Amino acid sequence: MKQAIKRFQLRGSQMGQGLWRIARNQQLQQQGYSGQGYLTREHGRRIPANNVSNTSHRRQAQGGIDIYHLLKTRKSKEQEGFINLEMLPPELSFTILSYLNATDLCLASCVWQDLANDELLWQGLCKSTWGHCSIYNKNPPLGFSFRKLYMQLDEGSLTFNANPDEGVNYFMSKGILDDSPKEIAKFIFCTRTLNWKKLRIYLDERRDVLDDLVTLHNFRNQFLPNALREFFRHIHAPEERGEYLETLITKFSHRFCACNPDLMRELGLSPDAVYVLCYSLILLSIDLTSPHVKNKMSKREFIRNTRRAAQNISEDFVGHLYDNIYLIGHYD
């Protein structure tokens, strides 16, 4: 326990400047305090009770608290070097602790047990890391706590990254996820801690989950290369061409057309035409970025080859596709 406290205090000294800036910039919407070095209110502004005369150089906004003076009056010799969060208003303490990750928050609970174990802090950590879980929308069971849920979600994610099927079964056994492709797809869509290689294997086996995952994407008013880039950030493409890549591009093409019906009518594009354009963009991306390709494809060549494969597409539109890949970069 002493080592944990000492470790956290060392961390605290490194975070001290950052926390001090946070504290100084926070304007608490509370009434002024009195006594024991707290702040008092006078003529619509708050000033330190133990030093009323020495405030001309630090002006206060109406209704706010000068956190610099608050911390200065709170600091005692035994607290010197770090802020005692228990001596601050609860709102400010929670704001400071909300910047910590789970490991640091556990360490903080060794020093400030009541503050660091607050359910709101752990709820925020859960939802910022795992944006969707079925259990969020249910009445919590007896003895439920977000700190315990965080540990289960972390354990389940590690299990998934070793064996996806076992990881999903773990979430279901704990009541975190419902046994539904749509719920699993939402969980995957809102989670960034899953190993993308394991996730790719899982989605290749669970095409029902893949279907629901694709429908969660909204490509409305997005330029085609940017939409494809976003799609592959969530659903990683396989390293080699094959049936799974064709499936992904097909599903993306239909989803992109469904999100942009007016644009498709204006450009005269169909899902098959978008499919051809996506393949052209992927091949162009490889051509421009691969060190093994010495003679890079020119814009004129790309326009000619693409319009030969997909007719009735304007030359300007295909040229903009080339410019996007050339200037912004390739697909992962």
Side-chain angles (χ1 to χ4, degrees), residues 219 221-228 256 263 317 320-322 324:
F219 302 122
N221 296 329
Q222 290 193 35
F223 192 36
L224 179 61
N226 296 334
L228 187 60
F256 183 83
L263 178 63
F317 180 74
H320 291 321
L321 297 179
Y322 182 93
N324 183 279

Side-chain angles (χ1 to χ4, degrees), residues 114-132:
D114 292 337
L115 288 173
N117 287 331
D118 187 85
E119 279 291 275
L120 288 177
L121 289 174
W122 287 99
Q123 180 181 0
L125 278 175
C126 287
K127 294 189 175 182
S128 63
T129 308
W130 300 273
H132 176 84

Side-chain angles (χ1 to χ4, degrees), residues 223-252:
F223 192 36
L224 179 61
N226 296 334
L228 187 60
R229 219 175 257 112
E230 178 186 329
F231 181 73
F232 282 142
R233 273 198 295 266
H234 286 93
I235 307 175
H236 289 269
E239 297 175 355
E240 297 179 356
R241 296 173 60 181
E243 186 269 337
Y244 181 56
L245 177 60
E246 294 178 0
T247 299
L248 290 181
I249 297 177
T250 300
K251 292 183 182 298
F252 168 82

Side-chain angles (χ1 to χ4, degrees), residues 88-131:
L88 298 177
E91 292 82 358
L92 180 55
S93 300
F94 289 139
T95 299
I96 294 172
L97 291 175
S98 68
Y99 286 87
L100 303 182
N101 57 32
T103 302
D104 290 337
L105 198 56
C106 286
L107 291 172
S109 66
C110 298
V111 182
W112 305 292
Q113 185 172 2
D114 292 337
L115 288 173
N117 287 331
D118 187 85
E119 279 291 275
L120 288 177
L121 289 174
W122 287 99
Q123 180 181 0
L125 278 175
C126 287
K127 294 189 175 182
S128 63
T129 308
W130 300 273

Side-chain angles (χ1 to χ4, degrees), residues 1-47:
M1 179 66 74
K2 291 182 178 180
Q3 291 180 348
I5 295 174
K6 190 172 182 180
R7 181 184 170 191
F8 182 77
Q9 288 175 338
L10 287 174
R11 286 176 177 267
S13 63
Q14 296 172 355
M15 300 187 324
Q17 291 184 352
L19 297 180
W20 189 266
R21 287 196 298 271
I22 294 169
R24 290 195 63 183
N25 293 333
Q26 286 289 333
Q27 296 296 322
L28 303 178
Q29 303 301 319
Q30 288 190 345
Q31 298 296 322
Y33 299 99
S34 62
Q36 298 179 358
Y38 286 65
L39 304 181
T40 59
R41 179 186 293 272
E42 181 179 327
H43 302 299
R45 63 192 182 105
R46 294 173 181 173
I47 56 178

